[in-house]
Amino acid sequence: MRGISATHDVTHLLAKWANGDERALEDLTPLVYKELRRLAASHLRKERKSHTLQPTALVHEAYLRLVGQKNPRWEDRSHFYGVAARLMRQILVEHARRQQALKRAGHRVSLEDALNFHQERSRDLVALDSALNALEKLDPRKCKAIELRYFGGLSMDEVAQALEVSAVTVRRDLRMAETWLHREMQSG
Amino acid sequence: MLLNSQRWAQIEELFHRVVECDPSQRTALLDEACKGDWELRQEVEALLSFEASAHDHVQGAVHSEIAGFGFSLAGEVVSHYRILSGLGGGGMGLVYLAEDIKLGRRVALKFLPDESIKDPSALARFEREARAASALEHPNICPIYEFGEHEGQPFLVMQLLEGKTLRELLEERRLNSSKSDSGEKSGHKAALPLDQVLDIAIQIADGLNAAHQKGIIHRDIKPANIFVTSQGQAKILDFGLAKLASGVTDAFEAAERNAQIANLKVTATSPSATPDPFLSRTGVAMGTAGYMSPEQARGEKLDASTDLFSFGLVLYEMATGQRAFTGDTGPVLYEAILKQPPTPARQVNRELPARLGQIINRAIQKEREARYQSIADLRGDLQKLKHKVEATRMRRRLAVAFAAAALVVGIMIFWFAKHQSMSSQALPDVKLTRLTDNAPENQVTAASISPNGKFLAYIDDQGMHLKTIGTDESRSLVLPETSTAVSWEMMTNAWFPDSERFLANAHPATQAPPQWSSTSTSAWIFSVRGDKPGKLRDNAQAWTVSPDGASIAFTTNAGSLGDREAWLIGPNGENARKLLEVGEGATTGAAFYFFPDGKRISYVADDGSGERGVTRDLNGGPETTFLTPSERKKIGDAMWLPDGRFLFSDPCDEGIQRADTPCNYWVERRDVRTGKVIEAPKRLTNWIGSSLAGPDGVTADGKRVAFLRTSGRTAGYIADLQAGGTRLVNSRRVTLEENGEDAVLDWTSDSRTLIVNRNRGDHYRLYRQELGSDRSEPIMASEPGGVENAVLSPDEKWVIVQIFPWGGGDNFLTMVKVMRVPMAGGTPEFLFSVHNGSSMSCARAPSKLCIVAEESADRKTMIVTAFDAVKGRGTELDRFDLRPDANSGENLDHSPLCSISPDGTRLAIARSSFSPIEIHSLRGQPTLIVPTKGSDRLDHIKWAADGKGLFVSRRTYDGEELLHLNLKGKAHSLWKSHTCFGIPSPDGRHIAIYDTQQSANVWMMENF
């Protein structure tokens, strides 16, 4: 029962948030958090042939579980994915900031290296986030492509569909965007 | 630079063009496109430099954050652990970095998979097993500190390790090799370096062996369960977990596993929604299935051999970079494990030593019976291979020709434990035969084999003998009457070419070998026919005979460094002519040898700057140095072979060596004229420990070499003291076991219980034994390493043990651990570390003082520090400048000489082995110097129980003497042997003596 109502809530909340209701995000976040955690934990537990946890697949899976395979309310798939990807980005960045805050909260002395390593990663995501903000101003479509691909878990073709451009264009957009972001993250 | 959309478009357009064009055209394209727009060019070039890594970087940032999501407990407090962050996850649960709030240390917290909760008895069994493995406290098993539960989910607390799992190491390797190979299948390039393979493998085998000996089987050995710390230490993780995760009783295992494997699919269509049946029921995911033994796959009852098999697969993977068994689906993999032999490791990686291929192959046999009997056997083979690999890689040795005068009487380091567990193993083709069988009391001191290979002439304490090689026949030669007692000596190439006569020198019996020179020495000729020996000359040392038998080389006219003149003379004393002469501070040296053409000689000279190996023509011409002083120091004894090869030993001729010191013969080919090496050295033997003197001659055909090999035996004795410790009676062995290196290291205050250590092989064991009984109780389980010293804390609750690392080297820089073990028995805990050779001692209650005497890093000062068995290091008590002759560089030739008096008020110290003993008060009393002879070498100091005297050991040229010394310097000899030292009982009635005896015998080497 709970699963069904959660699905319903998520769809509903996403729609609200997409329509500019910022409070919907507050309600959405814990639900997505929980699902992501469950999924990520189960992925971590599986020793796959390749240790690489595919983030895109994971995120995508999270949506599917949260909103169901076919959602009648979201006929505009590209819009839905755009919103969902943005949501995931916010949630991940929030998570990363919290990790960094944990460090600032005074564990620095006793924790040293191992923790530092994790915070290092979190810093990467926070840097990516601000680089994306800069990219958005410069070239909004590229920013969207990155969000859909990495935070939305869409395939190249799906990104192309969502952005209504050709797959070749998506590929070039991503290449340029990734390169620029990498450089921006490095210098920032 | 500020970007507007037009500029951005411009940059992007050019960026794509450049990226997409042929790399060789890039520069031209940029030149043309930028046309002096320097900023544009700079911008695009900057972007280009990031292009290759951009995708990974962006994806990585997102990826790692998502991965972090799996660790939902980060930031929470569980029991008394504050969870800090996720560390990783495996088939067996999530692992967190946590801080133990109580103990303030960092640990790893591992949550067990949900499935494990379903069967409480399995959980209990796992806990038992994990505790048992943990209780081994083996350095290669990751210890578990605690078991706990959080909201119904069991977790365990493990030692926090820094490093990577072997799986990660191997994957990195695969990734890098495939990158560098631009995607081509790169086979063995993903293999780990051979050194690392052997190093890790031996460690894993050590850990497994320890567990197997306690009946603990891992059942899930795989790269993900082996952690390699950043210091290179391998630790086996998750003992007992595989069984827990299986959650089924043995009876069901067969059917279950069969069914599961058959159903197993690698690519789960929906990784999370539908639980993987294999994972949930057995906890053994696909990764693990690849390391299963056939019997495991069949679901049979398992024994230690399953670990051996899985370990073999891990070894295979390390050595080849590939898994032995792969299969995309369960049934395929299952089939492979059960039936298909994997591609031989050496076919995958042709650089592997053949031996390693054999070892792996034997470990991964499908039938248990065909595998190694035990991990210990497998480990043994790995260790041998490692030695071999290391030895062949040893730095090129420059060698040469020398025959040391006689047995070099060694300076022996003070070690409680001398391991003589050397294997008498030669390399495959080399044949070794022992020619003499002398007891320790009658060591062979010199020998030489006749050119026809028929005779061995040798000297021992009983006289001079002639053995007919290949028979049991041996007869003593009649020695000439001399006016004073003499010690006989024989040089390496002492025989005449006719094999009927040989040379020998008579030295005054009052002199020790290092003092021998031509001054009071006479040279003699002995005959195998039983003719009376004839004196060749007085004041001469005879070395060798020319190939035509007409000339004998001897030296004479001793200066401060040795004989200054070399002469040739006929066998009947005719035709004497001077060959060489050097000044007062130099020597024409030793080890004369005629090359087979009879026109050139080799010898050792020293002009004061160190011994050099030289050759020169008999009729003049310059000396050619083929062995510089520094090269000379790197080898032991040496000799030329008739075919121009050069045979030499490692520099291990000084007394008994530690068991882990290589001590071998090598052969190389040199150009006789230039001395240059023309054929690289080849090692002939495979020995560690022991010591070598010689070679002692070679047959004319160059096929047989004789040499002297020394080995030792150690034993512990207890004796009663009388007359205030000045007389010793009624000595008896502590244990009667042959070769038991049992050493009494301390006594309880009631003088009734002994703390005894046994170093055996590469392990040690501490136990306590009642005086007058052979009942013993272990203080701790057998541990790898060796005990250098152990003392009882004044409260008698702890035994403090100084442990030297196995293979750590005989070197001051090696760090040695000081550990404490409860006297009642238990496991050792680390207290602090000290430089190798540091000495410690404790006072008796009511004093609480224990001290450790260490040398400063520059070895110029002895620092005495108090310590406590619980609190560890305390304050510095005193420091003493050492005499310059106390030591030499890194080489450890003694321990700091320091002992605390039983009442804890005084220190007895010596500033070098040749210095008088000083008694320093810790209460401000004046310092007292104990007057002693001072000519011998002080090796060991221990206070007598009454505080009125000392038991000291002094080295003499042929052994060691244990003395009681009162504080006025009056000495009484108690015991003599090769090495000995005493530990008196607190009641002053007994003394425990650690004693080593050395035996030296002649061996013959063939087929080298």
Side-chain angles (χ1 to χ4, degrees):
Chain A
M1 284 306 285
R2 198 180 146 76
I4 292 167
S5 74
T7 298
H8 180 80
D9 285 350
V10 169
T11 318
H12 182 62
L13 289 168
L14 272 174
K16 277 170 78 175
W17 185 53
N19 290 328
D21 183 349
E22 285 298 322
R23 275 182 318 176
L25 180 63
E26 285 172 31
D27 296 335
L28 262 174
T29 306
L31 294 172
V32 181
Y33 246 89
K34 203 175 151 203
E35 184 56 26
L36 263 179
R37 287 218 149 130
R38 208 192 60 73
L39 278 171
S42 98
H43 275 257
L44 282 168
R45 290 250 312 268
K46 284 196 174 76
E47 286 184 88
R48 299 230 174 157
K49 248 189 152 174
S50 157
H51 202 56
T52 315
L53 174 66
Q54 286 297 330
T56 50
L58 183 66
V59 172
H60 203 71
E61 211 177 301
Y63 294 139
L64 292 182
R65 289 183 55 82
L66 283 167
V67 303
Q69 291 273 13
K70 287 179 185 159
N71 193 324
R73 294 195 192 192
W74 288 87
E75 275 135 26
D76 182 358
R77 282 172 60 87
S78 67
H79 186 207
F80 164 71
Y81 281 125
V83 172
R86 174 59 58 98
L87 170 67
M88 189 58 69
R89 179 178 154 196
Q90 287 211 191
I91 285 174
L92 286 174
V93 169
E94 154 79 359
H95 183 253
R97 292 216 164 93
R98 270 188 26 170
Q99 287 286 312
Q100 287 193 289
L102 190 66
K103 183 182 175 186
R104 279 194 295 273
H107 292 298
R108 180 180 300 186
V109 183
S110 60
L111 302 184
E112 305 153 289
D113 338 321
L115 192 54
N116 277 339
F117 180 63
H118 280 265
Q119 255 103 39
E120 213 59 56
R121 293 170 167 179
S122 298
R123 192 176 307 146
D124 272 357
L125 194 75
V126 173
L128 176 62
D129 184 57
S130 48
L132 270 173
N133 288 338
L135 181 63
E136 190 171 24
K137 291 192 187 103
L138 217 53
D139 195 333
R141 191 184 70 198
K142 289 196 175 59
C143 174
K144 208 86 209 150
I146 293 281
E147 271 189 345
L148 288 169
R149 181 83 179 103
Y150 292 107
F151 294 96
L154 299 194
S155 68
M156 291 277 201
D157 286 339
E158 284 168 333
V159 174
Q161 275 178 35
L163 295 179
E164 296 174 324
V165 294
S166 73
V168 176
T169 304
V170 170
R171 193 160 294 122
R172 295 176 111 224
D173 270 5
L174 287 174
R175 173 182 269 169
M176 177 67 185
E178 286 161 358
T179 305
W180 189 84
L181 288 168
H182 184 15
R183 182 176 163 222
E184 195 70 7
M185 287 162 76
Q186 215 75 351
S187 59
Chain B
M1 119 187 197
L2 282 170
L3 289 175
N4 57 36
S5 57
Q6 195 193 342
R7 188 66 165 174
W8 170 255
Q10 200 185 359
I11 293 168
E12 185 183 4
E13 194 265 346
L14 182 56
F15 169 77
H16 286 306
R17 271 175 63 201
V18 176
V19 168
E20 286 156 18
C21 81
D22 189 301
S24 63
Q25 305 295 314
R26 278 191 177 187
T27 315
L29 184 58
L30 280 167
D31 287 344
E32 187 263 311
C34 297
K35 287 189 198 108
D37 186 344
W38 183 78
E39 273 188 349
L40 174 65
R41 181 168 185 149
Q42 199 185 27
E43 190 68 14
V44 172
E45 282 187 336
L47 280 175
L48 288 169
S49 68
F50 284 98
E51 196 266 332
S53 53
H55 173 75
D56 286 353
H57 192 80
V58 171
Q59 179 175 282
V62 182
H63 169 173
S64 55
E65 202 55 45
I66 291 175
F69 258 82
F71 302 101
S72 55
L73 290 171
E76 294 188 22
V77 172
V78 167
S79 177
H80 56 281
Y81 300 97
R82 179 180 296 119
I83 296 188
L84 304 169
S85 65
L87 279 178
M92 298 302 171
L94 294 184
V95 186
Y96 289 94
L97 168 70
E99 186 183 10
D100 184 331
I101 301 165
K102 274 193 209 160
L103 296 175
R105 67 177 168 186
R106 289 192 297 163
V107 295
L109 218 74
K110 180 172 210 158
F111 280 87
L112 301 180
D114 298 343
E115 300 79 38
S116 64
I117 328 171
K118 290 172 192 156
D119 182 354
S121 69
L123 187 62
R125 194 173 55 220
F126 157 65
E127 203 174 308
R128 251 195 332 270
E129 213 159 297
R131 277 189 201 282
S134 208
L136 292 171
E137 296 213 2
H138 193 280
N140 302 116
I141 295 175
C142 178
I144 292 174
Y145 298 139
E146 197 190 340
F147 291 83
E149 205 184 282
H150 175 69
E151 293 176 354
Q153 210 175 7
F155 65 84
L156 46 92
V157 184
M158 305 184 298
Q159 182 180 28
L160 179 66
L161 301 170
E162 277 179 36
K164 286 178 180 143
T165 65
L166 182 55
R167 178 195 161 111
E168 288 166 323
L169 277 181
L170 288 165
E171 262 167 18
E172 265 173 25
R173 206 74 202 167
R174 272 194 276 265
L175 204 64
N176 292 339
S177 68
S178 66
K179 267 184 190 160
S180 65
D181 249 42
S182 57
E184 267 174 59
K185 200 161 167 75
S186 53
H188 72 276
K189 293 218 171 87
L192 298 179
L194 183 61
D195 286 340
Q196 200 183 2
V197 171
L198 292 175
D199 191 41
I200 293 175
I202 288 170
Q203 295 188 56
I204 302 168
D206 272 345
L208 274 180
N209 185 37
H212 287 176
Q213 285 184 347
K214 293 275 172 199
I216 307 162
I217 308 171
H218 191 288
R219 298 184 193 83
D220 193 17
I221 289 294
K222 57 178 172 176
N225 276 340
I226 289 154
F227 201 90
V228 182
T229 69
S230 25
Q231 279 84 41
Q233 193 173 35
K235 302 246 182 197
I236 306 171
L237 309 173
D238 291 351
F239 260 97
L241 202 49
K243 185 125 178 179
L244 164 72
S246 74
V248 283
T249 57
D250 289 338
F252 286 95
E253 268 178 356
E256 288 262 312
R257 281 190 193 258
N258 275 332
Q260 286 146 13
I261 291 190
N263 291 333
L264 182 61
K265 290 200 182 80
V266 167
T267 41
T269 40
S270 175
S272 60
T274 20
D276 183 329
F278 194 80
L279 180 73
S280 65
R281 281 203 257 164
T282 66
V284 182
M286 189 62 196
T288 306
Y291 301 94
M292 266 187 189
S293 65
E295 59 267 28
Q296 205 165 14
R298 282 192 295 264
E300 292 165 9
K301 200 154 176 61
L302 301 179
D303 58 20
S305 190
T306 188
D307 284 349
L308 198 148
F309 181 90
S310 301
F311 172 57
L313 296 182
V314 171
L315 188 52
Y316 182 101
E317 194 170 333
M318 287 196 286
T320 63
Q322 290 181 8
R323 286 200 188 175
F325 299 116
T326 49
D328 285 344
T329 62
V332 172
L333 186 59
Y334 184 60
E335 181 79 5
I337 291 171
L338 290 180
K339 293 177 187 153
Q340 287 163 17
T343 313
R346 282 192 82 219
Q347 266 178 40
V348 184
N349 181 358
R350 297 190 185 280
E351 288 160 23
L352 287 186
R355 185 75 192 115
L356 185 56
Q358 291 160 4
I359 292 173
I360 293 171
N361 189 43
R362 188 159 166 211
I364 59 174
Q365 289 294 310
K366 310 275 184 212
E367 298 303 318
R368 296 183 212 204
E369 296 71 27
R371 296 176 204 152
Y372 282 94
Q373 290 287 300
S374 69
I375 281 280
D377 292 349
L378 170 53
R379 188 204 178 280
D381 277 4
L382 287 169
Q383 186 69 54
K384 274 180 220 154
L385 176 61
K386 185 167 182 247
H387 277 141
K388 197 173 150 193
V389 170
E390 281 166 0
T392 46
R393 209 177 282 146
M394 246 183 210
R395 275 192 26 200
R396 243 194 103 49
R397 286 155 182 276
L398 285 165
V400 151
F402 260 60
L407 241 196
V408 178
V409 174
I411 300 160
M412 192 169 134
I413 307 151
F414 164 64
W415 286 109
F416 269 84
K418 292 290 167 207
H419 301 255
Q420 282 81 44
S421 61
M422 48 124 223
S423 61
S424 288
Q425 202 184 341
L427 296 187
D429 302 337
V430 177
K431 184 183 165 201
L432 295 170
T433 317
R434 191 157 110 163
L435 299 181
T436 64
D437 194 13
N438 281 27
E441 298 76 30
N442 182 29
Q443 300 184 20
V444 177
T445 56
S448 185
I449 190 170
S450 66
N452 61 7
K454 200 174 164 194
F455 301 113
L456 178 79
Y458 67 98
I459 298 165
D460 59 24
D461 289 352
Q462 305 296 310
M464 194 181 298
H465 317 277
L466 193 68
K467 180 186 170 76
T468 308
I469 294 172
T471 70
D472 287 335
E473 193 193 320
S474 178
R475 62 190 163 96
S476 296
L477 296 174
V478 178
L479 296 172
E481 302 225 340
T482 46
S483 52
T484 53
V486 298
S487 301
W488 288 94
E489 181 206 19
M490 192 182 296
M491 304 305 191
T492 297
N493 299 300
W495 285 85
F496 280 70
D498 61 9
S499 293
E500 303 230 318
R501 292 165 294 165
F502 61 89
L503 303 166
N505 297 315
H507 302 280
T510 51
Q511 285 182 353
Q515 299 168 282
W516 291 347
S517 76
S518 61
T519 308
S520 22
T521 295
S522 50
W524 295 74
I525 297 173
F526 284 76
S527 159
V528 300
R529 296 168 185 264
D531 301 346
K532 239 179 97 178
K535 189 194 279 185
L536 181 69
R537 210 179 165 89
D538 278 321
N539 303 320
Q541 301 190 81
W543 293 95
T544 190
V545 187
S546 63
D548 60 4
S551 306
I552 295 161
F554 73 90
T555 55
T556 186
N557 188 13
S560 58
L561 212 55
D563 292 348
R564 295 166 47 208
E565 291 173 24
W567 290 66
L568 294 180
I569 191 172
N572 301 308
E574 76 282 15
N575 199 16
R577 62 235 185 246
K578 196 194 287 180
L579 193 61
L580 302 158
E581 183 176 355
V582 291
E584 167 56 33
T587 175
T588 53
F592 279 88
Y593 168 76
F594 285 93
F595 287 102
D597 63 3
K599 291 176 182 161
R600 201 167 170 84
I601 51 168
S602 161
Y603 54 96
V604 173
D606 188 348
D607 57 9
S609 58
E611 291 180 337
R612 288 176 301 127
V614 297
T615 63
R616 66 177 292 162
D617 283 337
L618 261 186
N619 44 14
E623 273 182 355
T624 305
T625 298
F626 65 95
L627 200 65
T628 64
S630 64
E631 289 163 350
R632 160 68 188 115
K633 280 183 192 151
K634 290 179 188 155
I635 64 165
D637 286 344
M639 74 182 287
W640 290 99
L641 301 180
D643 60 1
R645 286 189 298 167
F646 192 68
L647 180 77
F648 60 97
S649 68
D650 286 323
C652 49
D653 51 358
E654 299 199 337
I656 299 174
Q657 303 293 315
R658 282 182 60 176
D660 46 357
T661 310
C663 188
N664 288 297
Y665 277 110
W666 299 71
V667 72
E668 63 188 6
R669 192 178 295 279
R670 283 171 173 266
D671 182 310
V672 174
R673 220 143 258 290
T674 63
K676 289 214 168 69
V677 177
I678 49 181
E679 204 176 287
K682 179 176 82 167
R683 191 164 53 90
L684 300 177
T685 55
N686 187 21
W687 290 324
I688 49 171
S690 194
S691 73
L692 296 169
D696 296 310
V698 56
T699 54
D701 58 10
K703 289 185 175 159
R704 276 169 276 181
V705 164
F707 62 92
L708 201 51
R709 181 145 184 259
T710 305
S711 55
R713 200 195 71 181
T714 58
Y717 293 84
I718 298 283
D720 300 334
L721 290 171
Q722 295 180 343
T726 61
R727 200 159 61 228
L728 186 148
V729 294
N730 188 25
S731 66
R732 63 265 184 198
R733 288 278 298 274
V734 176
T735 54
L736 293 174
E737 196 179 332
E738 188 59 24
N739 292 327
E741 293 189 11
D742 301 66
V744 174
L745 297 178
D746 209 348
W747 300 75
T748 52
S749 57
D750 61 5
S751 297
R752 289 165 77 167
T753 308
L754 309 160
I755 312 294
V756 192
N757 175 62
R758 168 176 299 182
N759 287 316
R760 174 64 60 87
D762 53 3
H763 279 64
Y764 68 91
R765 190 164 75 83
L766 270 182
Y767 60 93
R768 49 177 192 270
Q769 183 171 325
E770 299 290 308
L771 180 64
S773 141
D774 50 11
R775 265 207 7 248
S776 66
E777 282 177 84
I779 295 174
M780 55 178 288
S782 176
E783 285 273 326
V787 166
E788 194 177 345
N789 193 4
V791 293
L792 192 57
S793 66
D795 63 6
E796 311 212 341
K797 286 186 183 154
W798 304 96
V799 181
I800 301 141
V801 202
Q802 206 172 328
I803 294 161
F804 59 79
W806 196 244
D810 237 4
N811 179 317
F812 169 70
L813 296 175
T814 304
M815 294 308 285
V816 166
K817 284 190 276 191
V818 176
M819 320 268 283
R820 63 154 187 253
V821 202
M823 175 64 169
T827 48
E829 292 169 280
F830 177 78
L831 263 181
F832 52 89
S833 43
V834 291
H835 278 295
N836 199 4
S838 301
S839 75
M840 52 178 201
S841 55
C842 287
R844 296 278 170 193
S847 169
K848 292 177 181 163
L849 192 57
C850 289
I851 59 137
V852 58
E854 299 157 280
E855 286 178 3
S856 56
D858 61 6
R859 304 203 69 194
K860 288 181 176 163
T861 312
M862 182 202 304
I863 303 160
V864 182
T865 312
F867 75 88
D868 181 280
V870 177
K871 296 176 202 149
R873 271 181 192 278
T875 52
E876 184 183 313
L877 297 175
D878 214 337
R879 54 171 67 205
F880 307 96
D881 292 337
L882 294 173
R883 283 257 308 268
D885 58 354
N887 56 61
S888 49
E890 286 175 17
N891 294 329
L892 190 68
D893 55 8
H894 74 284
S895 297
L897 294 157
C898 181
S899 174
I900 182 89
S901 63
D903 62 2
T905 63
R906 287 166 296 168
L907 295 173
I909 67 131
R911 292 175 195 267
S912 86
S913 295
F914 308 98
S915 303
I917 295 170
E918 302 169 25
I919 310 292
H920 289 264
S921 168
L922 295 172
R923 300 271 168 86
Q925 301 292 314
T927 297
L928 175 77
I929 308 261
V930 181
T932 49
K933 289 188 292 178
S935 60
D936 294 335
R937 201 188 150 88
L938 193 60
D939 209 18
H940 190 231
I941 306 178
K942 186 87 192 169
W943 280 88
D946 58 8
K948 293 176 183 164
L950 301 161
F951 290 97
V952 301
S953 298
R954 291 187 172 283
R955 293 208 59 79
T956 57
Y957 78 90
D958 62 350
E960 188 154 44
E961 188 175 20
L962 173 66
L963 306 155
H964 178 272
L965 193 66
N966 73 18
L967 298 185
K968 291 178 182 145
K970 190 163 173 56
H972 289 90
S973 175
L974 301 175
W975 187 276
K976 278 181 185 175
S977 75
H978 180 75
T979 338
C980 54
F981 58 80
I983 308 283
S985 67
D987 63 6
R989 293 170 56 198
H990 312 284
I991 187 164
I993 297 161
Y994 181 77
D995 173 272
T996 72
Q997 286 184 318
Q998 185 172 288
S999 60
N1001 277 292
V1002 183
W1003 292 66
M1004 181 170 72
M1005 180 158 54
E1006 293 169 276
N1007 300 336
F1008 46 87

